Amino acid sequence: MTLIIAASHGGKVAPDRQPRRARGRAGLQEGLQLNQASPRIRSLAQRLIAHETKENKSSGEKSRTIFPIPEKLRPRLVALVGSTGFAALLSRALVLARPDVAWLRAVHVNAHGSLEGPAELEAQVDPEKITEGRVALLARLLGLLMALIGEDLTMQLIRDVWPKLILNDLNFGNGAGNENEKRRNRAQTAEKSREQTG
């Protein structure tokens, strides 16, 4: 059967008619790429965490959770994928991040879809390791979200929740949406510089 198909396509096997072994390897490669957080996604995660930390310090507000960003994204993501879908995304992100950061093994997703860990976790783990775990988990969550709904919609969700966050140098998205993002970020940068000088 494969030989007949190959002959009818000028000697090439049609992509949907490739032998199972070849399709399996391609699917495995795609799965491995999905499971890895790209440097851009890690950079986005780091920037979100730094921004959220700075906002909490300036407002004097102490976060009630060790993972505040997934909690802030929750309402929009639940509206998009439902509470079960949100819990599944968070659970998968946690599973993918655990090999990168050992202390995440003590964290789980509870019945309400929130991340939980032992109460003494922050006291027992070095603050740098806590930050490393937050970045790893958030990068995995953002990567899964981008794979599910696309970069443009993911970035729009982030802009809706953190409108003051400047992301113009990360180069997510393309076309008119990216140009709009650049204009918006230039305006935000100009406004911040006016605030600092005035």
Side-chain angles (χ1 to χ4, degrees):
M1 175 96 173
T2 303
L3 294 175
I4 295 168
I5 294 166
S8 68
H9 284 77
K12 295 180 182 174
V13 177
D16 60 336
R17 301 288 187 187
Q18 289 178 351
R20 273 192 202 150
R21 186 178 298 153
R23 283 193 315 246
R25 272 188 249 130
L28 180 62
Q29 280 297 96
E30 288 173 15
L32 288 173
Q33 289 172 352
L34 178 63
N35 289 342
Q36 296 171 352
S38 74
R40 283 189 314 163
I41 294 173
R42 284 189 62 81
S43 180
L44 173 60
Q46 289 167 334
R47 200 166 299 180
L48 274 168
I49 290 167
H51 181 76
E52 184 68 18
T53 303
K54 184 179 174 186
E55 275 194 349
N56 287 344
K57 281 182 183 174
S58 67
S59 69
E61 183 181 318
K62 178 148 173 57
S63 180
R64 296 180 308 239
T65 176
I66 195 168
F67 299 103
I69 292 175
E71 286 302 316
K72 278 199 167 179
L73 285 171
R74 172 196 294 278
R76 285 184 169 76
L77 292 179
V78 166
L80 192 64
V81 297
S83 50
T84 304
F86 175 74
L89 273 173
L90 203 51
S91 295
R92 183 65 183 149
L94 184 58
V95 166
L96 292 172
R98 281 179 177 153
D100 299 336
V101 182
W103 69 264
L104 286 174
R105 291 185 186 104
V107 176
H108 67 279
V109 178
N110 67 19
H112 303 292
S114 294
L115 290 160
E116 276 186 353
E120 65 279 356
L121 189 63
E122 280 190 271
Q124 292 177 345
V125 179
D126 179 56
E128 285 183 22
K129 294 286 185 190
I130 293 283
T131 300
E132 184 183 327
R134 286 176 174 158
V135 169
L137 179 73
L138 184 57
R140 298 302 184 148
L141 179 62
L142 293 172
L144 290 170
L145 198 55
M146 286 181 184
L148 180 67
I149 64 173
E151 286 183 3
D152 290 339
L153 188 51
T154 301
M155 295 307 291
Q156 187 58 52
L157 283 170
I158 290 168
R159 281 187 225 104
D160 289 347
V161 178
W162 293 277
K164 294 180 182 177
L165 183 64
I166 297 173
L167 300 168
N168 58 341
D169 59 327
L170 289 178
N171 196 23
F172 282 103
N174 53 26
N178 197 29
E179 286 306 312
N180 291 337
E181 173 70 11
K182 285 178 185 175
R183 277 195 291 277
R184 190 164 119 174
N185 284 329
R186 282 194 295 266
Q188 287 175 346
T189 303
E191 183 180 325
K192 277 190 175 188
S193 96
R194 281 193 301 271
E195 287 173 5
Q196 291 171 352
T197 58

